[in-house]
């Protein structure tokens, strides 16, 4: 069943301006009856400004009158609110991250020149004009642009970037580069885990010699 665009605000208006039951209001607005009760008792977490569903053409006054005359009557919404659908276009980027776009674009251009401007546009959510300006260093703010990994900046995901790199390499007929930046970190992590495992084994042996039950290396949920 369709619901009002702003159900809580609509419920607030109905509580203040009609004699509809809480159950009728809750069902029409798609809320729990306790939420309507909280609005009526003024104990809701947020103070609401009522929204008149008659003026917004979501219900008629005749429907409200029927509901007030018969507590068992269930109001019917006149027309559900239009659903806003995202149209095809550049990726949406939060305002707080938009200033980082040039840095992310510069990083891709420097590290993956094989990626086309169209692919960069899809990854970062920018225009080809901006990409071209950064590529030929004619961008108005070029002196302050510092190449930074767009994944780290939160402009795209590592999976999407890897897919773009792989596709660009395939189109160019070359082997996709292998990212080895984290190899050293992986080796260090493996060494750390190995050392911890060996230390745990030594602690277990020592505890056994002292007659103390050894402490398991893994947490309880990981036991088999």
């Amino acid at each position: 069943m369709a619901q009002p665009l702003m159900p809580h605000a609509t419920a607030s208006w109905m509580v203040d301006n009609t004699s509809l039951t809480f159950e009728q209001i809750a069902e029409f607005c798609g809320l729990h009856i306790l939420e309507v009760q909280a609005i009526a008792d003024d104990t809701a977490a947020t103070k609401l400004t009522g929204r008149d569903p008659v003026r917004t053409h979501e219900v008629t006054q005749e429907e409200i009158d029927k509901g007030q005359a018969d507590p068992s009557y269930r109001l019917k919404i006149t027309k559900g609110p239009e659903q806003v659908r995202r149209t095809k276009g550049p990726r949406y980027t939060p305002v707080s991250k938009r200033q980082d776009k040039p840095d992310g674009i510069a990083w891709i251009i420097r590290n993956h020149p094989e990626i086309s401007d169209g692919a960069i546009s899809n990854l970062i959510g920018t225009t080809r004009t901006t990409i071209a300006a950064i590529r030929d260093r004619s961008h108005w703010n070029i002196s302050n642009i510092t190449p930074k990994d767009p994944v780290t900046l939160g402009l795209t995901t590592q999976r999407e970037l890897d897919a773009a790199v792989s596709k660009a390499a395939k189109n160019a007929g070359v082997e996709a580069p292998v990212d080895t930046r984290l190899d050293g970190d992986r080796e260090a992590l493996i060494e750390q885990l190995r050392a911890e495992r060996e230390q745990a084994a030594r602690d277990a042996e020592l505890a056994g010699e002292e007659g103390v039950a050894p402490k398991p290396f893994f947490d309880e949920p990981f036991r088999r």
Side-chain angles (χ1 to χ4, degrees):
M1 178 178 175
Q3 299 172 0
L5 182 62
M6 300 175 66
H8 289 86
T10 301
S12 179
W13 184 91
M14 286 182 159
V15 166
D16 293 338
N17 296 277
T18 73
S19 59
L20 295 168
T21 66
F22 291 164
E23 186 177 356
Q24 287 175 306
I25 296 173
E27 183 165 334
F28 178 76
C29 297
L31 303 175
H32 193 282
I33 191 171
L34 294 180
E35 292 182 274
V36 178
Q37 179 74 58
I39 292 172
D41 293 343
D42 203 21
T43 57
T46 304
K47 181 63 177 176
L48 299 168
T49 300
R51 182 173 186 267
D52 186 348
V54 177
R55 293 187 61 184
T56 57
H57 307 292
E58 292 175 335
V59 70
T60 63
Q61 185 60 50
E62 288 74 18
E63 276 291 295
I64 292 178
D65 292 341
K66 289 180 182 178
Q68 293 179 133
D70 180 5
S72 64
Y73 183 77
R74 297 295 175 256
L75 276 70
K76 300 178 180 62
I77 193 167
T78 302
K79 180 182 179 183
E82 294 292 335
Q83 298 297 319
V84 178
R85 292 182 172 82
R86 173 174 160 77
T87 57
K88 185 176 181 181
R91 173 197 299 271
Y92 174 78
T93 305
V95 175
S96 61
K97 294 183 180 297
R98 292 179 189 177
Q99 62 185 10
D100 297 329
K101 285 185 177 184
D103 293 344
I105 295 169
W107 187 93
I108 295 177
I109 291 174
R110 185 185 68 181
N111 293 279
H112 298 289
E114 71 278 6
I115 298 182
S116 68
D117 289 0
I120 296 176
S121 177
N122 291 332
L123 276 175
I124 304 297
T126 187
T127 64
R128 300 192 185 208
T129 301
T130 300
I131 298 170
I134 295 174
R135 192 184 290 278
D136 62 21
R137 302 191 62 79
S138 63
H139 190 276
W140 66 271
N141 196 35
I142 193 66
S143 60
N144 294 317
I145 294 177
T146 303
K148 295 178 183 177
D149 189 337
V151 176
T152 303
L153 293 174
L155 298 172
T156 187
T157 66
Q158 188 64 54
R159 177 174 296 183
E160 289 172 328
L161 178 60
D162 291 343
V165 171
S166 178
K167 183 177 181 179
K170 182 178 180 181
N171 291 338
V174 298
E175 185 176 352
V178 178
D179 188 350
T180 60
R181 291 173 296 170
L182 298 179
D183 285 352
D185 293 339
R186 292 193 186 97
E187 293 174 1
L189 178 60
I190 292 173
E191 287 299 323
Q192 179 182 348
L193 292 174
R194 183 179 293 116
E196 291 177 356
R197 190 177 297 111
E198 293 174 352
Q199 183 62 47
R202 287 194 294 268
D203 291 344
E205 292 178 1
L206 182 60
E209 293 175 358
E210 295 177 352
V212 180
K215 183 179 179 180
F217 176 69
F218 295 104
D219 291 337
E220 189 70 23
F222 291 94
R223 288 183 176 178
R224 292 183 179 275

